[in-house]
Amino acid sequence: MALTEYKRKRKFDRTPEPTGEKDVGKKRPKLKTGKNLRYVVQKHKASRLHYDFRLEQGGVLKSWAVPKGPSLDPEEKRLAMMTEDHPLDYLNFEGTIPKGNYGAGEVIVWDHGLYHSADVVDDPEESREKLKEGLRKGRLDFILFGKKLKGRFALIKMKRKEDVRGKSWLLMKQDDEYASTRDIAEDASSVISGRELL
Ligand code: MN
């Protein structure tokens, strides 16, 4: 999958974000994958504060901007607008995108971890296939193993009628032992540096 849109939106001599090239000597993502896929949720204080939910798939990070952020409450559906694919190096990105650049503002890694398809217990290859198919069909069911987010979640694409641009999805917790009405957004610090956005 191409990172054309990602690259087109950014000037890499003016932003510290990853270029999406295989930069020799640059810091690689820290999480060890084994055979599982990685995910990251970044909290991003751009013109509007939002969370960026990114799932590794096919060598890139499929990405959604979630204005209210994820919830642990299965009753809460959170709007998730699909955005351009990001490079895998973005798993680690935390810092300030300077003024005048796309997405200018501070970014922290609010949560990260591994995930797999909720329909597959023990077969990473089949899990990848299921997730690929889910993305195509507009429904992803997956299990997160993060620091803050755990258990079953779903991302469901809205019907065309209700969503002319075809980019709106809903992110929701599915009921399991990790479901809770506790406000997870109160847990505001970065899972890699402990920083908070002010
Ligand atoms: Mn963002």
Side-chain angles (χ1 to χ4, degrees), residues 29-97:
K30 278 177 203 157
L31 281 170
K32 287 217 168 64
T33 63
K35 285 179 179 163
N36 276 315
L37 298 166
R38 296 163 288 186
Y39 81 92
V40 67
V41 184
Q42 272 134 339
K43 190 174 176 185
H44 184 185
K45 198 178 178 187
S47 46
R48 276 191 191 173
L49 182 75
H50 61 274
Y51 293 73
D52 289 297
F53 191 87
R54 310 188 196 281
L55 299 173
E56 178 179 8
Q57 199 173 112
V60 295
L61 299 173
K62 305 308 290 184
S63 297
W64 291 262
V66 185
K68 290 186 176 172
S71 169
L72 301 182
D73 182 354
E75 301 291 310
E76 287 277 328
K77 297 179 172 68
R78 295 287 161 89
L79 180 67
M81 299 298 291
M82 197 173 218
T83 57
E84 76 274 19
D85 295 348
H86 278 50
L88 292 181
D89 282 344
Y90 222 91
L91 285 163
N92 254 350
F93 178 69
E94 190 169 284
T96 303
I97 302 170

Side-chain angles (χ1 to χ4, degrees), residues 18 24 38 66 92 113-114 117 134 136 138 141 154-155 169 181 191 193:
V24 180
R38 296 163 288 186
V66 185
N92 254 350
L114 303 176
S117 164
R136 212 172 48 235
D141 288 280
L155 262 170
W169 294 59
T181 52
V191 293
S193 67

